[in-house]
CSV table of all heavy atoms in Angstrom, one decimal:
chain,number,residue,atom,x,y,z
T,208,ASN,N,15.4,12.5,9.1
T,208,ASN,CA,15.8,13.9,9.5
T,208,ASN,C,15.4,14.1,11.0
T,208,ASN,O,14.9,13.2,11.6
T,208,ASN,CB,15.2,14.9,8.6
T,208,ASN,CG,13.7,15.1,8.7
T,208,ASN,OD1,13.1,14.7,9.7
T,208,ASN,ND2,13.1,15.6,7.7
T,209,GLY,N,15.7,15.2,11.5
T,209,GLY,CA,15.5,15.5,12.9
T,209,GLY,C,14.0,15.4,13.3
T,209,GLY,O,13.7,15.2,14.5
T,210,ALA,N,13.1,15.6,12.4
T,210,ALA,CA,11.7,15.6,12.7
T,210,ALA,C,11.1,14.2,12.7
T,210,ALA,O,9.9,14.0,13.0
T,210,ALA,CB,10.9,16.4,11.7
T,211,GLY,N,12.0,13.2,12.5
T,211,GLY,CA,11.5,11.8,12.5
T,211,GLY,C,10.8,11.4,11.2
T,211,GLY,O,10.2,10.3,11.2
T,212,GLU,N,11.0,12.1,10.2
T,212,GLU,CA,10.4,11.8,8.9
T,212,GLU,C,11.4,11.1,8.0
T,212,GLU,O,12.6,11.3,8.2
T,212,GLU,CB,9.8,13.1,8.2
T,212,GLU,CG,8.7,13.7,9.0
T,212,GLU,CD,8.3,15.0,8.5
T,212,GLU,OE1,9.1,15.7,7.7
T,212,GLU,OE2,7.2,15.5,8.7
T,213,THR,N,10.9,10.4,7.1
T,213,THR,CA,11.8,9.7,6.2
T,213,THR,C,11.7,10.2,4.8
T,213,THR,O,10.6,10.8,4.4
T,213,THR,CB,11.5,8.2,6.2
T,213,THR,OG1,10.2,7.9,5.8
T,213,THR,CG2,11.8,7.6,7.5
T,214,ARG,N,12.7,10.1,4.0
T,214,ARG,CA,12.6,10.5,2.6
T,214,ARG,C,11.7,9.6,1.8
T,214,ARG,O,11.7,8.4,2.0
T,214,ARG,CB,14.0,10.5,2.0
T,214,ARG,CG,14.9,11.6,2.5
T,214,ARG,CD,16.3,11.4,1.8
T,214,ARG,NE,17.1,12.5,2.3
T,214,ARG,CZ,17.5,13.5,1.5
T,214,ARG,NH1,17.2,13.4,0.2
T,214,ARG,NH2,18.2,14.5,1.9
T,215,GLN,N,11.1,10.1,0.8
T,215,GLN,CA,10.3,9.3,-0.1
T,215,GLN,C,11.2,8.4,-1.0
T,215,GLN,O,12.2,8.9,-1.4
T,215,GLN,CB,9.5,10.2,-1.1
T,215,GLN,CG,8.3,10.8,-0.4
T,215,GLN,CD,7.5,11.5,-1.5
T,215,GLN,OE1,7.6,11.3,-2.7
T,215,GLN,NE2,6.7,12.5,-1.1
T,216,THR,N,10.7,7.3,-1.3
T,216,THR,CA,11.4,6.4,-2.3
T,216,THR,C,10.3,6.2,-3.4
T,216,THR,O,9.2,5.7,-3.1
T,216,THR,CB,11.8,5.1,-1.7
T,216,THR,OG1,12.7,5.3,-0.7
T,216,THR,CG2,12.4,4.2,-2.8
T,217,ARG,N,10.6,6.6,-4.6
T,217,ARG,CA,9.6,6.4,-5.7
T,217,ARG,C,9.6,4.9,-6.1
T,217,ARG,O,10.5,4.2,-6.0
T,217,ARG,CB,10.0,7.2,-6.9
T,217,ARG,CG,9.7,8.7,-6.7
T,217,ARG,CD,8.3,9.0,-6.6
T,217,ARG,NE,8.0,10.2,-5.8
T,217,ARG,CZ,6.8,10.5,-5.3
T,217,ARG,NH1,5.8,9.8,-5.5
T,217,ARG,NH2,6.7,11.6,-4.6
T,218,GLY,N,8.4,4.5,-6.4
T,218,GLY,CA,8.1,3.1,-6.8
T,218,GLY,C,6.7,2.8,-6.3
T,218,GLY,O,6.1,3.6,-5.6
T,219,LYS,N,6.4,1.6,-6.5
T,219,LYS,CA,5.0,1.1,-6.1
T,219,LYS,C,4.9,1.0,-4.6
T,219,LYS,O,5.9,0.5,-3.9
T,219,LYS,CB,4.7,-0.2,-6.8
T,219,LYS,CG,4.5,-0.2,-8.3
T,219,LYS,CD,4.2,-1.5,-8.8
T,219,LYS,CE,3.9,-1.5,-10.3
T,219,LYS,NZ,3.6,-2.8,-10.8
T,220,LEU,N,3.8,1.3,-4.1
T,220,LEU,CA,3.5,1.1,-2.7
T,220,LEU,C,2.3,0.2,-2.7
T,220,LEU,O,1.4,0.2,-3.5
T,220,LEU,CB,3.1,2.4,-2.0
T,220,LEU,CG,4.1,3.5,-1.9
T,220,LEU,CD1,3.5,4.8,-1.3
T,220,LEU,CD2,5.3,3.1,-1.1
T,221,LEU,N,2.2,-0.7,-1.6
T,221,LEU,CA,1.0,-1.5,-1.3
T,221,LEU,C,0.2,-0.7,-0.3
T,221,LEU,O,0.8,-0.1,0.6
T,221,LEU,CB,1.4,-2.8,-0.8
T,221,LEU,CG,2.1,-3.8,-1.8
T,221,LEU,CD1,2.5,-5.1,-1.0
T,221,LEU,CD2,1.4,-4.0,-3.0
T,222,GLY,N,-1.1,-0.8,-0.4
T,222,GLY,CA,-2.0,-0.2,0.6
T,222,GLY,C,-2.7,-1.4,1.3
T,222,GLY,O,-3.1,-2.3,0.6
T,223,ILE,N,-2.9,-1.3,2.6
T,223,ILE,CA,-3.6,-2.4,3.3
T,223,ILE,C,-4.7,-1.9,4.1
T,223,ILE,O,-4.5,-0.9,4.9
T,223,ILE,CB,-2.6,-3.2,4.1
T,223,ILE,CG1,-1.6,-3.9,3.2
T,223,ILE,CG2,-3.3,-4.2,5.1
T,223,ILE,CD1,-0.6,-4.8,3.9
T,224,ASP,N,-5.9,-2.5,4.0
T,224,ASP,CA,-7.0,-2.2,4.9
T,224,ASP,C,-7.2,-3.5,5.7
T,224,ASP,O,-7.6,-4.5,5.2
T,224,ASP,CB,-8.3,-2.0,4.0
T,224,ASP,CG,-9.5,-1.7,4.9
T,224,ASP,OD1,-9.3,-1.1,6.0
T,224,ASP,OD2,-10.6,-2.2,4.6
T,225,HIS,N,-6.6,-3.4,6.9
T,225,HIS,CA,-6.6,-4.6,7.8
T,225,HIS,C,-8.0,-4.9,8.4
T,225,HIS,O,-8.7,-4.0,8.8
T,225,HIS,CB,-5.6,-4.3,9.0
T,225,HIS,CG,-5.5,-5.4,10.0
T,225,HIS,ND1,-6.4,-5.5,11.0
T,225,HIS,CD2,-4.6,-6.4,10.1
T,225,HIS,CE1,-6.1,-6.5,11.8
T,225,HIS,NE2,-5.0,-7.1,11.2
T,226,GLY,N,-8.3,-6.2,8.3
T,226,GLY,CA,-9.6,-6.6,8.9
T,226,GLY,C,-9.3,-7.9,9.7
T,226,GLY,O,-8.3,-8.6,9.5
T,227,ALA,N,-10.2,-8.3,10.6
T,227,ALA,CA,-10.1,-9.5,11.4
T,227,ALA,C,-10.2,-10.8,10.5
T,227,ALA,O,-9.5,-11.7,10.8
T,227,ALA,CB,-11.2,-9.5,12.5
T,228,LYS,N,-11.0,-10.7,9.5
T,228,LYS,CA,-11.1,-11.9,8.6
T,228,LYS,C,-10.6,-11.7,7.2
T,228,LYS,O,-10.1,-12.6,6.6
T,228,LYS,CB,-12.6,-12.3,8.5
T,228,LYS,CG,-13.2,-12.7,9.9
T,228,LYS,CD,-14.6,-13.1,9.7
T,228,LYS,CE,-15.1,-13.5,11.1
T,228,LYS,NZ,-16.6,-13.7,11.1
T,229,VAL,N,-10.7,-10.5,6.7
T,229,VAL,CA,-10.2,-10.2,5.3
T,229,VAL,C,-9.3,-9.0,5.3
T,229,VAL,O,-9.7,-8.0,6.0
T,229,VAL,CB,-11.4,-10.0,4.4
T,229,VAL,CG1,-11.0,-9.6,3.0
T,229,VAL,CG2,-12.3,-11.2,4.3
T,230,VAL,N,-8.3,-9.0,4.6
T,230,VAL,CA,-7.4,-7.8,4.4
T,230,VAL,C,-7.5,-7.4,2.9
T,230,VAL,O,-7.4,-8.2,2.0
T,230,VAL,CB,-5.9,-8.2,4.7
T,230,VAL,CG1,-5.0,-7.1,4.3
T,230,VAL,CG2,-5.8,-8.6,6.1
T,231,GLY,N,-7.9,-6.1,2.8
T,231,GLY,CA,-7.9,-5.6,1.4
T,231,GLY,C,-6.5,-5.0,1.1
T,231,GLY,O,-5.8,-4.4,1.9
T,232,ILE,N,-6.1,-5.3,-0.2
T,232,ILE,CA,-4.8,-4.9,-0.6
T,232,ILE,C,-4.9,-4.1,-1.9
T,232,ILE,O,-5.7,-4.4,-2.8
T,232,ILE,CB,-3.9,-6.1,-0.8
T,232,ILE,CG1,-3.8,-6.9,0.5
T,232,ILE,CG2,-2.5,-5.6,-1.3
T,232,ILE,CD1,-3.0,-8.2,0.4
T,233,ALA,N,-4.2,-3.0,-2.0
T,233,ALA,CA,-4.2,-2.1,-3.2
T,233,ALA,C,-2.7,-1.9,-3.5
T,233,ALA,O,-1.8,-2.2,-2.8
T,233,ALA,CB,-4.9,-0.8,-2.8
T,234,VAL,N,-2.5,-1.3,-4.7
T,234,VAL,CA,-1.2,-1.0,-5.2
T,234,VAL,C,-1.3,0.3,-6.0
T,234,VAL,O,-2.4,0.7,-6.5
T,234,VAL,CB,-0.6,-2.1,-6.1
T,234,VAL,CG1,-1.4,-2.3,-7.4
T,234,VAL,CG2,0.9,-1.9,-6.4
T,235,CYS,N,-0.2,1.1,-6.0
T,235,CYS,CA,-0.2,2.3,-6.8
T,235,CYS,C,0.9,2.1,-7.9
T,235,CYS,O,1.7,1.2,-7.9
T,235,CYS,CB,0.2,3.5,-6.0
T,235,CYS,SG,1.9,3.6,-5.4
T,236,ASP,N,0.8,3.0,-8.9
T,236,ASP,CA,1.8,2.9,-10.0
T,236,ASP,C,3.2,3.4,-9.5
T,236,ASP,O,3.3,3.9,-8.4
T,236,ASP,CB,1.3,3.8,-11.2
T,236,ASP,CG,1.2,5.3,-10.7
T,236,ASP,OD1,0.4,5.6,-9.9
T,236,ASP,OD2,2.0,6.1,-11.2
T,237,ALA,N,4.2,3.2,-10.2
T,237,ALA,CA,5.6,3.5,-9.8
T,237,ALA,C,5.8,5.0,-9.6
T,237,ALA,O,6.7,5.3,-8.8
T,237,ALA,CB,6.6,2.9,-10.8
T,238,THR,N,5.0,5.8,-10.2
T,238,THR,CA,5.1,7.3,-10.0
T,238,THR,C,4.4,7.8,-8.8
T,238,THR,O,4.4,8.9,-8.4
T,238,THR,CB,4.7,8.1,-11.3
T,238,THR,OG1,3.3,7.8,-11.4
T,238,THR,CG2,5.5,7.7,-12.5
T,239,GLN,N,3.7,6.8,-8.1
T,239,GLN,CA,2.9,7.1,-6.9
T,239,GLN,C,1.8,8.2,-7.2
T,239,GLN,O,1.6,9.1,-6.3
T,239,GLN,CB,3.8,7.5,-5.8
T,239,GLN,CG,4.7,6.4,-5.4
T,239,GLN,CD,5.6,6.6,-4.2
T,239,GLN,OE1,5.5,7.7,-3.6
T,239,GLN,NE2,6.4,5.7,-3.8
T,240,MET,N,1.1,8.1,-8.3
T,240,MET,CA,0.1,9.0,-8.6
T,240,MET,C,-1.3,8.4,-8.4
T,240,MET,O,-2.2,9.1,-8.0
T,240,MET,CB,0.2,9.5,-10.1
T,240,MET,CG,1.5,10.2,-10.4
T,240,MET,SD,1.7,11.7,-9.4
T,240,MET,CE,0.6,12.8,-10.2
T,241,LEU,N,-1.5,7.1,-8.7
T,241,LEU,CA,-2.8,6.6,-8.7
T,241,LEU,C,-2.8,5.2,-8.1
T,241,LEU,O,-2.0,4.3,-8.5
T,241,LEU,CB,-3.3,6.4,-10.2
T,241,LEU,CG,-4.7,5.9,-10.4
T,241,LEU,CD1,-5.7,6.9,-9.7
T,241,LEU,CD2,-5.0,5.8,-11.8
T,242,ALA,N,-3.7,5.0,-7.1
T,242,ALA,CA,-3.9,3.7,-6.4
T,242,ALA,C,-5.0,3.0,-7.0
T,242,ALA,O,-6.0,3.6,-7.5
T,242,ALA,CB,-4.1,4.0,-4.9
T,243,ARG,N,-5.0,1.7,-7.0
T,243,ARG,CA,-6.1,0.8,-7.5
T,243,ARG,C,-6.2,-0.4,-6.6
T,243,ARG,O,-5.2,-0.9,-6.0
T,243,ARG,CB,-5.8,0.4,-8.9
T,243,ARG,CG,-4.7,-0.5,-9.2
T,243,ARG,CD,-4.6,-1.0,-10.6
T,243,ARG,NE,-3.3,-1.7,-10.8
T,243,ARG,CZ,-3.2,-3.0,-10.5
T,243,ARG,NH1,-4.1,-3.7,-10.0
T,243,ARG,NH2,-2.0,-3.6,-10.7
T,244,PRO,N,-7.4,-1.0,-6.5
T,244,PRO,CA,-7.6,-2.2,-5.8
T,244,PRO,C,-6.7,-3.3,-6.4
T,244,PRO,O,-6.6,-3.4,-7.6
T,244,PRO,CB,-9.0,-2.5,-5.9
T,244,PRO,CG,-9.7,-1.3,-6.3
T,244,PRO,CD,-8.6,-0.5,-7.1
T,245,LEU,N,-6.1,-4.2,-5.6
T,245,LEU,CA,-5.3,-5.3,-6.1
T,245,LEU,C,-6.0,-6.7,-5.8
T,245,LEU,O,-6.3,-7.4,-6.7
T,245,LEU,CB,-3.9,-5.3,-5.5
T,245,LEU,CG,-3.0,-6.3,-6.0
T,245,LEU,CD1,-2.7,-6.2,-7.5
T,245,LEU,CD2,-1.6,-6.2,-5.3
T,246,GLN,N,-6.3,-6.9,-4.5
T,246,GLN,CA,-6.9,-8.2,-4.2
T,246,GLN,C,-7.4,-8.2,-2.7
T,246,GLN,O,-7.1,-7.3,-1.9
T,246,GLN,CB,-5.9,-9.4,-4.4
T,246,GLN,CG,-4.8,-9.4,-3.3
T,246,GLN,CD,-3.9,-10.6,-3.6
T,246,GLN,OE1,-3.3,-10.7,-4.6
T,246,GLN,NE2,-3.8,-11.5,-2.5
T,247,LEU,N,-8.2,-9.2,-2.5
T,247,LEU,CA,-8.6,-9.5,-1.1
T,247,LEU,C,-7.8,-10.7,-0.6
T,247,LEU,O,-7.5,-11.7,-1.3
T,247,LEU,CB,-10.1,-9.9,-1.1
T,247,LEU,CG,-11.0,-8.8,-1.5
T,247,LEU,CD1,-12.5,-9.3,-1.7
T,247,LEU,CD2,-11.1,-7.6,-0.5
T,248,MET,N,-7.4,-10.7,0.7
T,248,MET,CA,-6.7,-11.8,1.3
T,248,MET,C,-7.4,-12.2,2.5
T,248,MET,O,-7.7,-11.5,3.4
T,248,MET,CB,-5.3,-11.3,1.7
T,248,MET,CG,-4.5,-12.4,2.4
T,248,MET,SD,-2.9,-11.8,3.0
T,248,MET,CE,-3.3,-10.9,4.5
T,249,THR,N,-7.9,-13.5,2.4
T,249,THR,CA,-8.6,-14.0,3.6
T,249,THR,C,-7.5,-14.4,4.6
T,249,THR,O,-6.6,-15.1,4.3
T,249,THR,CB,-9.4,-15.3,3.2
T,249,THR,OG1,-10.3,-14.9,2.2
T,249,THR,CG2,-10.1,-15.9,4.4
T,250,ARG,N,-7.7,-13.9,5.9
T,250,ARG,CA,-6.8,-14.1,6.9
T,250,ARG,C,-6.6,-15.6,7.2
T,250,ARG,O,-7.6,-16.3,7.2
T,250,ARG,CB,-7.2,-13.4,8.2
T,250,ARG,CG,-7.3,-11.9,8.1
T,250,ARG,CD,-6.0,-11.1,8.2
T,250,ARG,NE,-5.2,-11.5,9.3
T,250,ARG,CZ,-5.3,-10.9,10.5
T,250,ARG,NH1,-6.1,-9.9,10.7
T,250,ARG,NH2,-4.5,-11.3,11.5
T,251,SER,N,-5.4,-16.0,7.5
T,251,SER,CA,-5.1,-17.4,7.9
T,251,SER,C,-4.3,-17.3,9.1
T,251,SER,O,-4.7,-16.7,10.1
T,251,SER,CB,-4.4,-18.0,6.7
T,251,SER,OG,-4.0,-19.4,7.0
């Protein structure tokens, strides 16, 4: 829209905590109500 915002798309989202050595990854349910930790990714 004119404000530069986008419409929501329902479904799972991934969350990322970026780090220099390790990236934390989370996921939410398809209704986008609750997030939970998913895994750690060691940077390569």
Side-chain angles (χ1 to χ4, degrees):
N208 68 23
E212 297 173 337
T213 56
R214 290 178 174 247
Q215 285 187 20
T216 301
R217 287 291 154 196
K219 292 182 180 181
L220 299 175
L221 296 177
I223 294 183
D224 181 35
H225 178 275
K228 295 180 182 177
V229 174
V230 172
I232 303 174
V234 66
C235 70
D236 63 295
T238 64
Q239 297 183 359
M240 298 299 285
L241 186 61
R243 67 173 173 81
L245 183 62
Q246 73 178 58
L247 296 170
M248 177 181 78
T249 301
R250 298 281 307 271
S251 178

